[in-house]
């Protein structure tokens, strides 16, 4: 119960700060919007091409925009030593990980929720359906799980903005591939049975990333 | 209350602490002075469980210090030159946040008491980022004692403060210290260090080079000892 209470305290602290500044949401939203516009022009999307490229464009957009959130969320803690304030508290260090991870999940999901209708209009596709929303959620969980850990690692380096994508994108590849394949299958109207292995892979990587990050975080923040 | 035995901390091949033996009794205020790189901050960060020692032992309230021991952290309050507060939250929200992660009971009442104690009652709804450096440090003191710790660790608390803010903080620390059972403070400033302490040590290049009881020491004597033992040794160490 204490674990949950403290995890939620960390999430709520980030939500309060974001509600006040709207710094991260607006940055992610504008960046994601610009990416969609650039992709739509650069691919010269005609009706027959849309379904082929839309899943990739969608997940590249979410991954790039999400990286902004990951970078900012952790560097804000490490700037001026605020992470010490959390590390000094009488709680397992994994509480900090889950608090920051849930915050990242929440903010990235909020951006995705705003972007999906825009995406639907720009690409003339119906993306607001349960199977697709589940895919987005599962993909975002994996992204936030490993991204929070790697952002903590990168935040301690001088070139943190460069370091995070360099560390994150190779590792997150299985999640992105599974999510893209699932998205494509859903858009093509394939039955769930033929997509089940991608779904299992996505859930599997979510669990692995969460477990590894949970175990590694304590070691990472220990001086 | 605090026993330190043979404490060593190395960062790679660089030694920040080279075998510290020290004891802080219940009710005692220990000041650690020393030049830059003497290892003061490293020592305090080990006591705060923010750093793991390379070797040696620290006991606090009879418990051997280990980074995984969450209970020992409940007994400590930590103030550094960085206030460890969130500038986009109000003064009250900062204290509520820290109160929640320290499991403080009757949090509303405790926040009221602390705001009154540190003189920030009128700034309760101000964003912490809009406070002056001195007021932020007062908020930092409130943050550090929200859970009523028995041990206070103060790492260069006066750094970056102007004369007026330093005076205010000195008064505040003087008021807060008797509520704790032991206080360890590091500082560059010999006068500030001497003023509040019961015992004083000079740390230089990772070693304790001088120890004295407050009663037997004047500022002039301390300055002489500091010059002789710390600056005289070159003063530049690791960490």
């Amino acid at each position: 119960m204490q674990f949950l209470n403290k995890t939620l305290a960390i999430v709520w602290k980030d939500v309060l700060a974001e509600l006040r500044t709207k710094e991260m949401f607006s940055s992610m939203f504008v960046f994601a919007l610009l990416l969609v516009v650039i992709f739509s022009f650069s691919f010269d999307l005609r009706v027959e091409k849309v379904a082929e490229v839309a899943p990739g464009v969608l997940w590249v957009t979410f991954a790039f925009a999400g990286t902004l959130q990951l970078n900012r969320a952790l560097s804000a803690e490490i700037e001026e030593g605020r992470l010490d304030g959390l590390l000094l508290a009488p709680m397992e260090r994994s509480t900090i990980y889950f608090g920051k991870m849930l915050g990242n999940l929440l903010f990235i999901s909020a951006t995705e929720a705003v972007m999906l209708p825009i995406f639907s209009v720009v690409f003339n596709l119906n993306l607001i359906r349960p199977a697709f929303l589940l895919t987005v959620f599962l993909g975002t969980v994996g992204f936030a799980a490993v991204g929070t850990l790697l952002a903590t690692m990168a935040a301690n380096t001088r070139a943190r903005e460069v370091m995070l994508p360099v560390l994150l994108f190779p590792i997150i590849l299985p999640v992105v591939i599974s999510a893209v394949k699932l998205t494509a299958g859903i858009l093509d109207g394939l039955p769930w049975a033929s997509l089940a292995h991608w779904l299992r892979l996505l859930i599997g990587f979510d669990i692995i990333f969460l477990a590894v990050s949970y175990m590694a975080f304590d070691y990472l923040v220990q001086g | 209350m605090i026993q330190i035995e043979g404490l060593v901390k190395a960062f790679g091949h660089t030694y920040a602490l080279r075998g510290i033996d020290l004891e802080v009794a219940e009710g005692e205020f220990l000041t650690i002075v020393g030049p830059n790189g003497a290892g003061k901050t490293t020592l305090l960060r080990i006591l705060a469980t923010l750093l793991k020692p390379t070797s040696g032992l620290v006991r606090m309230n009879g418990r051997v210090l280990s980074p995984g021991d969450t209970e020992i952290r409940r007994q400590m309050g930590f103030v550094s030159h960085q206030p460890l507060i969130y500038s986009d939250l109000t003064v009250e929200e900062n204290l509520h946040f820290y109160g929640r992660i320290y499991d403080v009971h009757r949090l509303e009442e405790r926040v009221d008491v602390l705001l009154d104690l540190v003189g920030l009652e009128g700034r309760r709804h101000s964003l912490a980022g809009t406070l002056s450096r001195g007021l932020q440090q007062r908020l930092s003191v409130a943050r550090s004692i929200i859970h009523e710790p028995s041990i206070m660790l103060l790492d260069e608390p006066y750094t970056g403060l102007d004369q007026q803010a330093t005076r205010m903080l000195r008064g505040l620390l003087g008021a807060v210290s008797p509520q704790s059972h032991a206080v360890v403070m590091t500082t560059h400033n010999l006068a500030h260090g001497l003023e509040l302490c019961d015992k004083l040590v000079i740390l230089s290049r990772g070693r304790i080079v001088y120890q004295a009881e407050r009663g037997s020491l004047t500022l002039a004597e301390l300055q002489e000892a500091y010059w002789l033992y710390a600056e005289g040794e070159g003063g530049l160490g690791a960490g």
Side-chain angles (χ1 to χ4, degrees):
Chain A
M1 198 60 199
Q2 278 188 354
F3 175 83
L4 185 65
N5 187 33
K6 291 175 185 186
T7 303
L8 292 178
I10 294 170
V11 177
W12 180 238
K13 178 258 299 173
D14 288 344
V15 170
L16 265 183
E18 181 58 26
L19 286 175
R20 197 156 280 141
T21 62
K22 295 169 187 73
E23 204 174 65
M24 270 328 299
F25 178 77
S26 53
S27 309
M28 271 197 296
F29 172 66
V30 170
F31 186 59
L33 193 64
L34 286 172
L35 281 173
V36 170
V37 170
I38 290 167
F39 277 131
S40 68
F41 279 115
S42 56
F43 287 141
D44 184 22
L45 293 172
R46 288 186 287 271
V47 176
E48 69 274 15
K49 282 186 184 172
V50 168
E52 284 175 32
V53 298
V57 170
L58 183 78
W59 281 101
V60 166
T61 303
F62 287 165
F64 281 11
T67 308
L68 290 186
Q69 164 64 27
L70 295 174
N71 246 331
R72 185 66 204 137
L74 270 303
S75 59
E77 293 293 353
I78 284 169
E79 279 165 17
E80 297 172 39
R82 288 185 198 108
L83 186 62
D84 285 350
L86 298 178
L87 294 174
L88 285 162
M91 58 189 183
E92 298 291 329
R93 262 96 198 233
S94 56
T95 314
I96 304 170
Y97 167 75
F98 279 110
K100 297 308 292 182
M101 195 279 287
L102 286 176
N104 287 331
L105 180 64
L106 188 70
F107 294 130
I108 296 170
S109 299
T111 306
E112 289 168 348
V114 177
M115 283 307 297
L116 280 178
I118 296 171
F119 224 92
S120 298
V121 172
V122 172
F123 289 83
N124 196 27
L125 294 165
N126 177 19
L127 297 173
I128 316 295
R129 35 183 153 166
F132 182 71
L133 295 179
L134 176 69
T135 305
V136 169
F137 174 73
L138 291 173
T140 310
V141 168
F143 183 81
V146 74
T148 303
L149 180 78
L150 295 176
T152 310
M153 199 185 286
N156 284 308
T157 65
R158 265 191 294 180
R160 65 175 73 127
E161 281 81 9
V162 181
M163 195 54 77
L164 178 61
V166 169
L167 292 171
L168 177 65
F169 289 142
I171 293 174
I172 205 71
L173 214 54
V175 167
V176 174
I177 291 170
S178 314
V180 167
K181 292 289 183 187
L182 269 173
T183 305
I186 293 164
L187 290 178
D188 291 344
L190 297 178
W192 267 112
S194 64
L195 296 174
H197 60 289
W198 290 116
L199 184 64
R200 277 199 296 270
L201 194 66
L202 186 54
I203 292 171
F205 271 103
D206 281 0
I207 293 168
I208 291 168
F209 283 160
L210 272 171
V212 170
S213 302
Y214 164 74
M215 289 186 286
F217 190 80
D218 192 20
Y219 178 76
L220 191 65
V221 294
Q222 182 60 60
Chain B
M1 195 98 199
I2 304 174
Q3 286 104 29
I4 302 169
E5 293 167 23
L7 195 68
V8 173
K9 177 66 187 179
F11 297 98
H13 296 296
T14 309
Y15 280 81
L17 297 175
R18 300 160 187 262
I20 302 288
D21 295 295
L22 201 57
E23 197 165 328
V24 185
E26 181 152 1
E28 208 165 45
F29 191 126
L30 169 74
T31 293
I32 301 169
V33 295
N36 288 335
K40 304 185 298 292
T41 295
T42 303
L43 175 58
L44 227 63
R45 288 180 70 81
I46 289 173
L47 296 182
T49 73
L50 292 172
L51 274 180
K52 220 160 56 176
T54 305
S55 65
L57 194 71
V58 179
R59 277 198 195 86
M60 278 191 183
N61 290 338
R63 296 170 77 109
V64 175
L65 198 72
S66 84
D69 187 347
T70 57
E71 274 312 301
I72 205 109
R73 293 204 287 268
R74 200 184 293 283
Q75 298 165 27
M76 287 185 234
F78 185 80
V79 178
S80 78
H81 56 278
Q82 292 176 316
L84 312 184
I85 54 173
Y86 293 90
S87 47
D88 293 326
L89 301 186
T90 65
V91 167
E92 188 180 36
E93 286 164 353
N94 266 287
L95 292 180
H96 273 138
F97 169 64
Y98 277 104
R100 277 184 75 183
I101 61 173
Y102 275 93
D103 308 309
V104 175
H105 300 294
R106 297 160 72 166
L107 184 55
E108 292 292 339
E109 280 175 40
R110 182 70 185 146
V111 168
D112 289 344
V113 168
L114 287 175
L115 288 177
D116 195 38
L117 178 72
V118 300
L120 285 174
E121 181 53 52
R123 304 297 298 270
R124 173 186 282 262
H125 301 295
S126 301
L127 288 180
T130 64
L131 300 181
S132 67
R133 177 80 182 83
L135 293 184
Q136 286 189 354
Q137 200 62 335
R138 285 207 250 168
L139 176 57
S140 179
V141 172
R143 166 196 62 72
S144 72
I145 59 171
I146 194 159
H147 55 298
E148 300 179 74
S150 58
I151 296 167
M152 283 298 290
L153 305 172
L154 313 172
D155 182 23
E156 309 273 7
Y158 300 110
T159 302
L161 298 183
D162 61 22
Q163 290 298 317
Q164 195 193 359
T166 299
R167 206 166 42 244
M168 280 194 294
L169 184 65
R170 210 162 54 221
L172 183 58
L173 292 178
V176 163
S177 300
Q179 296 170 23
S180 300
H181 300 148
V183 182
V184 181
M185 179 171 82
T186 67
T187 181
H188 280 108
N189 191 307
L190 301 183
H192 291 159
L194 190 61
E195 196 175 42
L196 295 168
C197 75
D198 301 305
K199 190 161 86 181
L200 184 140
V201 301
I202 298 176
L203 200 63
S204 179
R205 307 176 82 173
R207 287 194 180 92
I208 293 174
V209 292
Y210 177 83
Q211 268 192 72
E213 299 294 323
R214 165 71 178 95
S216 62
L217 199 65
T218 64
L219 182 59
E221 286 168 343
L222 175 61
Q223 280 167 337
E224 197 178 325
Y226 188 83
W227 176 250
L228 185 68
Y229 294 107
E231 298 293 344
E233 282 200 9
L236 293 174

